[in-house]
């Protein structure tokens, strides 16, 4: 089950043609990941203070399929795909919800984002604490 976060498109998100500037999808994905972590009780500042580490983006793969426009309301998703000892891969999508009456959502952008856990003091890779992994990847 994917976490969902609503996003409204404002002037600042668009280019001269009123279409979302491509790099802004990275901002939308970042916000959704941050809120997903927060919803799991893993606020990023609290993680840094309590566990001594933090997540950093190490790789991004994006595919653009359709444009979002000024005033659109989007749903941005985040769900864990896989984890390693020091990294987590997250699948994300930006969707325009279908119109009332059951029309399907329109997939605008999708991607996978790999985040790595680093020691907050040294910025060196470290193992993700088991308690953090348990919250991110609950057992079935």
């Amino acid at each position: 089950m994917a976490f969902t976060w609503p996003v409204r498109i404002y002037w600042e998100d668009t280019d001269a043609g009123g279409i979302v500037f491509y790099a802004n999808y990275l901002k939308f994905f970042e916000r959704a990941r941050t809120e997903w972590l927060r919803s799991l009780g893993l606020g990023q500042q609290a993680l840094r203070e309590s566990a001594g580490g933090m997540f950093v983006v190490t790789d991004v793969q994006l595919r653009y399929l359709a444009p979002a426009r000024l005033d659109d309301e989007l749903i941005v998703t985040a769900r864990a795909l896989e984890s390693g000892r020091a990294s987590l891969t997250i699948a994300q999508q930006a969707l325009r919800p279908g119109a009332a009456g059951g029309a399907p959502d329109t997939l605008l952008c999708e991607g996978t984002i790999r985040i790595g856990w680093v020691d907050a003091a040294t910025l060196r890779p470290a193992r993700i604490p088991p308690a953090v992994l348990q919250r991110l990847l609950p057992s079935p």
Side-chain angles (χ1 to χ4, degrees):
M1 182 86 157
F3 173 82
T4 62
W5 186 253
V7 171
R8 165 86 64 183
I9 304 303
Y10 298 100
W11 273 116
E12 68 186 31
D13 301 318
T14 65
D15 60 17
I19 293 173
V20 169
F21 181 66
Y22 73 94
N24 285 333
Y25 288 97
L26 291 170
K27 291 193 317 186
F28 303 155
F29 286 177
E30 174 73 25
R31 292 175 192 162
R33 284 193 314 278
T34 297
E35 295 303 329
W36 170 57
L37 290 172
R38 190 184 320 274
S39 78
L40 297 171
L42 298 170
Q44 294 190 63
Q45 186 63 29
L47 271 178
R48 184 180 176 137
E49 292 168 2
S50 67
M54 60 187 188
F55 286 111
V56 296
V57 172
T58 61
D59 186 62
V60 173
Q61 300 288 319
L62 293 179
R63 238 178 91 211
Y64 302 98
L65 298 127
R69 301 176 192 283
L70 180 65
D71 288 332
D72 279 353
E73 291 183 46
L74 308 182
I75 298 296
V76 180
T77 67
R79 74 179 167 82
L81 279 181
E82 61 186 18
S83 71
R85 294 184 317 200
S87 68
L88 183 70
T89 302
I90 301 162
Q92 295 199 254
Q93 295 182 324
L95 305 133
R96 183 183 307 108
D105 296 344
T106 302
L107 178 59
L108 307 176
C109 180
E110 64 183 351
T112 55
I113 291 76
R114 185 169 179 237
I115 57 176
W117 182 262
V118 297
D119 179 279
T122 65
L123 299 181
R124 293 193 154 186
R127 286 186 108 122
I128 301 171
V132 172
L133 268 180
Q134 272 184 331
R135 288 196 180 174
L136 293 170
L137 303 166
S139 300

